[in-house]
Amino acid sequence: MAAAAAGGGPEKPLAPALLSFFIYNPRLGSKEGEEEKKILLYYPNEVEKNEKIRSVGLCEAIVQFTRTFSPLKPAKSLHTQKNRQFFNEPEENFWMVMVVRNPVIGKQKDGKPTVEYQEEELLDKVYSSVLQQCYNMYKLFNGTFRKAIEDGGVKILKERLEKFFHRYLQTLHLQSCDLLDVFCGISFFPLDKMTYLRIQSFVNKMEESLSIVKYTAFLYNDQLIWSGLEQDDMRILYKYLTTSLFPRHIEPELAGRDSPIHAEMPGNLQHYGRFLTGPLNVNDPEAKCRFPKIFVNTEDTYEELHLIVYKAMSAAVCFMIDASIQPTLEFCRKLDCIVGPQLTVLASDICEQYNINKRMAGFGGRQSKGPGRKPGHSGLHCPIRSPRSEKEPQFKFIYFNHMNLAEKSTIHMRRTSNISLASVHPDLMKILGDINSDFTRVDDEEEIIVKAMSDYWIVGKKSDQRELYVILNQKNANLIEVNEEVKKLCATQFNNIFFLD
């Protein structure tokens, strides 16, 4: 496996870009002269009609041609010099196509500027996963394509597709897509047993007090602690929360105790609870109780739910209630009154206990005073302590568990606005993606070690539905020393997880 040298030449390549995105159903325009009826969505919409028909027809022909060789697994991608096309059939006869321009490097040839397309830089598995996520996110808020047609015909489906993807496609940052998009995992917040039981007890009490609540999810510091949803539904809801909803509400988090965000409660107590979806101010009699709808269990019971997201400090709770029940302002006030004070105290205690555990484990330094156990203490944030180092750590890693979708990365910086920036060179991230592609071809345990031209070592381990990828910054190390370092990492970071040696 070859690796390009990090740093490369002086030319800076132009990042991959979305050229077009369209959804079609070949059954809708099967007669000659009705080809346009196949097209349910086409981006950019300004493209001339005949060009749209030609593009869709070409993709349809490619898919049909490849079915000749593999009836059950038609083409997933098409490689050309200038772009890469990705195909996905999320529902029978509904095809989604994404066309991405290959990265470009500007060069001088015979004194004239020219461009060179980097044909092998894009990883099929990464961008095929991005295309699948497009469908999953649409389905979360709109339900399936077929259900839309059942509700109101092709016209309704086209309207829903246009409304959703007009905004969603603008949030795609294709230049930062990598292995995490393949996993689409969930980051879990580490907790001791007693604190976890307190949270479980809190969830049970809330569901009992607010009887119309059907499902609940509890997050802290953008990491999941508890969820009543199925895994596949939770993983896409988690992506929406952490890359879209939470980043949009960062500013109010900076408000202090005297902020007008929340009125004083009886007894001079105050809590920091507020709705991230729904009414901005429950004390406003004109407040609108509008909550986004989500669709879960679409393969089985097909449930339509209202999504209520309520946050206090760094803790957030998602309450999901049946869409046939319209939450009233009175219900919102009741929720605010019941959940707000308890969630504020619980959020403070989670932070306090977490920092104590970190300090006892030998990771944290001196603990500063954060909010106390009683609501109303000054300071809205309780910092999460982590070790600091002036120099780059010797190793960084990505871990993923296919069974519970647990994901952990020290390679990526904090996700915001749909971007998850890696702190290592793109060439190294590409090697990680190549190793992952190799892993998909084998069912057994596997280990791959690569020496990059930039003097980094990359190690991939697959064992019992778990995958670990390590990047080592040890220029003069040999294979034996690298293997020993990875063993040490597994012993310290994953001591309760079995990896084959």
Side-chain angles (χ1 to χ4, degrees):
M1 187 182 299
E11 307 95 343
K12 186 176 181 181
L14 289 174
L18 181 65
L19 294 180
S20 60
F21 182 97
F22 47 93
I23 300 173
Y24 71 92
N25 186 326
R27 296 289 180 89
L28 297 177
S30 55
K31 295 181 180 180
E32 188 175 349
E34 297 183 347
E35 290 83 3
E36 191 180 8
K37 292 182 179 180
K38 299 177 184 178
I39 305 173
L40 299 169
L41 173 79
Y42 199 102
Y43 170 89
N45 192 42
E46 298 75 27
V47 174
E48 199 264 332
K49 182 179 79 170
N50 288 334
E51 178 64 21
K52 293 179 182 178
I53 293 173
R54 189 194 69 80
S55 297
V56 171
L58 179 61
C59 292
E60 190 178 355
I62 292 168
V63 170
Q64 290 292 57
F65 175 71
T66 56
R67 279 195 194 276
T68 306
F69 308 98
S70 179
L72 299 179
K73 291 185 178 181
K76 291 290 185 181
S77 66
L78 174 67
H79 298 205
T80 67
Q81 179 190 15
K82 295 183 178 181
N83 60 52
R84 191 82 58 93
Q85 298 184 32
F86 300 94
F87 315 108
N88 184 28
E89 187 185 20
E91 300 178 34
E92 187 178 5
N93 294 317
F94 287 93
W95 284 90
M96 302 177 70
V97 181
M98 182 172 70
V99 183
V100 180
R101 186 198 67 205
N102 287 326
V104 177
I105 292 181
K107 291 190 174 183
Q108 292 288 331
K109 187 175 183 180
D110 299 329
K112 297 180 181 180
T114 183
V115 295
E116 181 179 298
Y117 288 91
Q118 306 296 295
E119 299 178 46
E120 301 303 320
E121 290 302 304
L122 300 184
L123 295 175
D124 281 356
K125 196 171 181 184
V126 169
Y127 290 93
S128 292
S129 299
V130 171
L131 183 56
Q132 179 63 40
Q133 286 175 26
C134 290
Y135 171 74
N136 291 341
M137 197 65 76
Y138 168 86
K139 187 177 70 169
L140 178 69
F141 291 103
N142 296 276
T144 60
F145 296 155
R146 197 160 297 283
K147 185 70 164 60
I149 290 182
E150 291 173 3
D151 289 345
V154 175
K155 182 182 178 182
I156 292 295
L157 175 58
K158 285 184 175 181
E159 289 175 357
R160 291 180 183 177
L161 290 172
E162 175 64 30
K163 182 178 180 181
F164 177 82
F165 283 107
H166 176 73
R167 294 179 60 185
Y168 184 76
L169 292 178
Q170 297 176 39
T171 68
L172 292 181
H173 297 273
L174 299 179
Q175 72 276 13
S176 62
C177 296
D178 56 34
L179 193 57
L180 288 193
D181 292 285
V182 175
F183 294 146
C184 195
I186 297 172
S187 179
F188 288 91
F189 190 80
L191 275 181
D192 62 283
K193 291 180 181 179
M194 289 306 297
T195 308
Y196 179 80
L197 289 174
R198 283 190 60 195
I199 291 170
Q200 193 172 20
S201 174
F202 166 81
V203 169
N204 292 338
K205 287 179 181 177
M206 295 305 101
E207 290 183 347
E208 184 178 349
S209 301
L210 307 167
S211 56
I212 62 174
V213 172
K214 201 167 186 179
Y215 302 106
T216 306
F218 191 105
L219 297 92
Y220 185 86
N221 201 34
D222 291 2
Q223 294 175 290
L224 185 65
I225 294 178
W226 166 270
S227 171
L229 286 175
E230 293 292 331
Q231 279 189 352
D232 286 339
D233 290 323
M234 189 61 229
R235 80 192 310 180
I236 197 66
L237 176 60
Y238 177 80
K239 181 175 176 62
Y240 163 70
L241 294 172
T242 56
T243 62
S244 182
L245 183 65
F246 291 165
R248 291 203 308 264
H249 292 82
I250 288 176
E251 284 303 317
E253 290 287 333
L254 303 178
R257 176 179 181 184
D258 299 323
S259 166
I261 285 178
H262 206 286
E264 285 288 330
M265 291 182 61
N268 258 346
L269 290 178
Q270 187 184 36
H271 68 77
Y272 295 121
R274 59 193 178 89
F275 288 91
L276 298 192
T277 62
L280 295 175
N281 183 0
V282 291
N283 294 316
D284 179 5
E286 302 298 321
K288 303 293 183 183
C289 293
R290 293 174 183 168
F291 297 93
K293 289 182 181 179
I294 62 172
F295 295 80
V296 301
N297 296 324
T298 52
E299 299 296 323
D300 187 15
T301 53
Y302 206 97
E303 297 174 84
E304 185 177 354
L305 308 167
H306 289 294
L307 175 64
I308 302 173
V309 184
Y310 190 87
K311 191 171 187 182
M313 299 164 67
S314 293
V317 187
C318 301
F319 296 108
M320 287 150 272
I321 66 176
D322 196 286
S324 62
I325 303 172
Q326 182 58 45
T328 62
L329 186 57
E330 181 182 353
F331 170 79
C332 294
R333 286 171 178 163
K334 178 182 178 182
L335 187 151
D336 181 66
C337 185
I338 294 174
V339 178
Q342 295 187 56
L343 187 59
T344 299
V345 175
L346 191 55
S348 176
D349 290 348
I350 292 171
C351 179
E352 184 178 343
Q353 189 59 49
Y354 178 80
N355 282 332
I356 289 173
N357 293 341
K358 291 279 281 187
R359 190 171 69 247
M360 291 176 64
F363 289 110
R366 184 173 58 88
Q367 187 183 20
S368 64
K369 290 184 179 180
R373 290 182 171 273
K374 295 181 180 179
H377 278 226
S378 61
L380 198 56
H381 288 288
C382 185
I384 298 298
R385 298 283 166 192
S386 60
R388 294 182 178 180
S389 175
E390 296 298 326
K391 62 180 181 179
E392 183 183 6
Q394 283 192 322
F395 55 76
K396 296 180 180 181
F397 66 87
I398 295 176
Y399 165 78
F400 182 68
N401 185 334
H402 288 271
M403 289 180 285
N404 64 358
L405 307 181
E407 170 187 280
K408 184 176 182 180
S409 172
T410 61
I411 290 175
H412 294 79
M413 294 176 274
R414 191 176 182 85
R415 294 186 181 190
T416 56
S417 303
N418 243 17
I419 304 178
S420 181
L421 295 176
S423 59
V424 300
H425 195 276
D427 289 339
L428 299 178
M429 293 305 299
K430 184 175 184 300
I431 295 174
L432 296 184
D434 288 335
I435 294 175
N436 173 261
S437 296
D438 289 341
F439 283 165
T440 59
R441 300 187 185 103
V442 295
D443 295 326
D444 301 325
E445 284 72 18
E446 185 87 0
E447 181 170 9
I448 298 175
I449 301 179
V450 179
K451 178 67 156 49
M453 291 173 67
S454 54
D455 291 327
Y456 283 87
W457 287 89
I458 299 98
V459 180
K461 292 173 74 74
K462 178 183 179 182
S463 178
D464 192 25
Q465 296 295 307
R466 299 177 176 91
E467 296 180 28
L468 175 66
Y469 302 83
V470 185
I471 296 177
L472 288 159
N473 181 20
Q474 293 191 353
K475 181 177 180 180
N476 299 317
N478 57 40
L479 201 60
I480 296 174
E481 291 170 337
V482 168
N483 197 39
E484 288 300 316
E485 286 296 326
V486 173
K487 284 183 179 180
K488 290 178 185 177
L489 170 65
C490 291
T492 55
Q493 298 286 337
F494 306 102
N495 59 345
N496 60 340
I497 296 174
F498 175 66
F499 280 110
L500 288 181
D501 291 332

